[in-house]
Amino acid sequence: MAETKEYLVQAQESGSILISEEVIASIAALAVREVEGVYGLSSSTNFDIANMLGKKNLRKGIRVSLNGDEISIACNLIVKMGTAVMTVAKNVQEAIADEVASMTGTRPVRVNVNVCGVALPKSAANK
C-alpha cells in the first residue's frame, strides 16, 4: 500500500504550489546542522550511537505534520558536551522556524525539540 504524502498548498494566480513534508523536513534538517552546539540528529528518542544519522538520512530525525496551511515540526536532537542544552535547543527552534518560513513562505506554528542525548565532540572523542 502506498504512503499518502501531505503537502503544503500555496495558491497562486496561475495555479498551485505543493511543498511536500519531505522537503520541509530537509529544510529543517539543514537548518539544524548550522546551529552551534548540535552534535547531530537521532532517528529515535533513545540516544544510541547506532541511531546517529549521516548526511543522507538527516531528515529522518525530523518529523513534519501538516494541518491545512499549518506546519508543526519535531526533531530529536543530540547536543555536544559542554554546551548549554536549553540555549542550543532554543537556537534550533529559531533556526528551523526562520529557515522554513524563508523557503516556504509559511512560518511553523510549532517547533518541538526533543534533546535525546549529549555526546562528546568528535575532536575530543579522538584524543
Side-chain angles (χ1 to χ4, degrees), residues 11-31:
Q12 304 290 314
E13 287 181 24
S14 58
S16 295
I17 297 173
L18 303 173
I19 304 171
S20 76
E21 290 177 328
E22 292 173 348
V23 170
I24 297 168
S26 293
I27 293 167
L30 291 171

Side-chain angles (χ1 to χ4, degrees), residues 41-42 44-46 63 74-78 89 112-117:
L41 290 169
S42 177
S44 72
T45 56
N46 297 325
R63 289 181 313 283
C75 70
N76 296 326
L77 185 67
I78 300 167
N112 296 321
V113 176
N114 180 26
V115 179
C116 305

Side-chain angles (χ1 to χ4, degrees), residues 12-108:
Q12 304 290 314
E13 287 181 24
S14 58
S16 295
I17 297 173
L18 303 173
I19 304 171
S20 76
E21 290 177 328
E22 292 173 348
V23 170
I24 297 168
S26 293
I27 293 167
L30 291 171
V32 169
R33 291 181 59 200
E34 300 299 318
V35 176
E36 185 69 33
V38 171
Y39 184 83
L41 290 169
S42 177
S43 60
S44 72
T45 56
N46 297 325
F47 176 59
D48 181 5
I49 202 70
N51 287 329
M52 285 295 298
L53 299 172
K55 290 179 183 176
K56 290 184 180 179
N57 294 327
L58 192 58
R59 73 172 183 253
K60 292 192 187 229
I62 305 281
R63 289 181 313 283
V64 175
S65 299
L66 297 174
N67 185 12
D69 62 347
E70 291 185 348
I71 304 170
S72 297
I73 300 172
C75 70
N76 296 326
L77 185 67
I78 300 167
V79 298
K80 291 179 184 174
M81 178 69 87
T83 59
V85 173
M86 291 300 288
T87 302
V88 173
K90 185 174 180 347
N91 291 343
V92 165
Q93 282 181 316
E94 290 173 2
I96 290 173
D98 291 346
E99 195 66 24
V100 169
S102 170
M103 294 187 74
T104 67
T106 303
R107 190 160 190 85

